[in-house]
Amino acid sequence: MAAITTQEFEHHFKSLYKPLCLFALRYTDQVDDAEDIVQQAFADVWDKNRAGNVIGNLKAYLYQAVRNRSLSFTSQPVNAEATEQLPDVEDTSEEEDILRSERDARLWDAIDRLPPERKKIFLLSKRDGLKYQEIAEELNLSVKTVENQMSKALKALRETAIRVYMFFFG
């Protein structure tokens, strides 16, 4: 097997970056740390590629590298106060974590594709926990508009969730 081209590397980066970040986030609980770990894993792959080392299954290699880096990161010595803030790691298999990360990435992509105002309303509700009345007041909209936009957002995301489910399990 030959070394990967720049275009192939870019394709892998674009398709795997977000799922790998979500995978690392399960360990680190910090977005910046997860992104640093994934970026370093890709940099290492590129260095290996330039040195002539061939990686047979790049996706599997990257998930293992990100897992190992994440575990190393979370096992670094910390002070007693920081220990209380360490994330609880669920007892799931690595394969389940990978599937969940890829699924989550597809759903976030679907959220990103919502029209801007609908996305803002959806995130204020689901991410920030605001009630429809609070969203309406904050955005200077009627409650009915917020309800309609949420309904449309949820419908679009349900359709995406069905496609994601069929992709993985269908």
Side-chain angles (χ1 to χ4, degrees):
M1 176 176 255
I4 60 174
T5 65
T6 304
Q7 292 82 10
E8 290 171 327
F9 183 83
E10 187 176 326
H11 168 75
H12 288 296
F13 183 85
K14 286 179 179 178
S15 66
L16 293 173
Y17 182 78
K18 193 179 284 188
L20 284 167
C21 285
L22 290 167
F23 182 67
L25 190 59
R26 297 189 163 295
Y27 295 95
T28 65
D29 209 32
Q30 296 292 321
V31 172
D32 291 340
D33 295 333
E35 288 179 344
D36 289 346
I37 288 167
V38 171
Q39 289 168 9
Q40 189 58 53
F42 272 105
D44 290 348
V45 164
W46 186 247
D47 289 344
K48 286 181 184 301
N49 186 58
R50 289 185 63 201
N53 298 327
V54 177
I55 299 171
N57 184 339
L58 184 61
K59 180 179 173 181
Y61 179 89
L62 281 165
Y63 271 99
Q64 190 63 45
V66 168
R67 179 182 179 278
N68 291 344
R69 286 182 175 281
S70 297
L71 290 172
S72 293
F73 176 83
T74 58
S75 66
Q76 292 175 355
V78 292
N79 61 34
E81 290 177 16
T83 305
E84 295 174 12
Q85 298 175 355
L86 288 176
D88 291 331
V89 178
E90 293 179 28
D91 188 23
T92 58
S93 73
E94 188 172 336
E95 184 177 335
E96 290 172 315
D97 288 341
I98 290 169
L99 287 173
R100 184 177 296 135
S101 298
E102 290 175 351
R103 181 203 64 213
D104 291 352
R106 289 177 188 268
L107 290 175
W108 275 105
D109 285 341
I111 291 168
D112 288 341
R113 286 192 305 270
L114 291 172
E117 283 300 308
R118 190 173 299 156
K119 177 182 174 183
K120 184 185 290 184
I121 290 168
F122 178 82
L123 291 175
L124 285 170
S125 173
K126 299 303 181 185
R127 180 194 61 203
D128 300 341
L130 297 182
K131 294 179 172 38
Y132 289 180
Q133 180 66 41
E134 295 169 319
I135 296 168
E137 290 170 6
E138 184 170 321
L139 300 179
N140 201 23
L141 300 170
S142 73
V143 174
K144 193 68 174 167
T145 299
V146 172
E147 289 173 356
N148 287 337
Q149 291 300 310
M150 279 300 294
S151 175
K152 290 176 182 179
L154 291 171
K155 181 180 182 211
L157 295 174
R158 269 193 297 274
E159 291 169 1
T160 298
I162 290 168
R163 285 194 304 274
V164 168
Y165 179 84
M166 295 305 291
F167 176 82
F168 286 109
F169 305 109

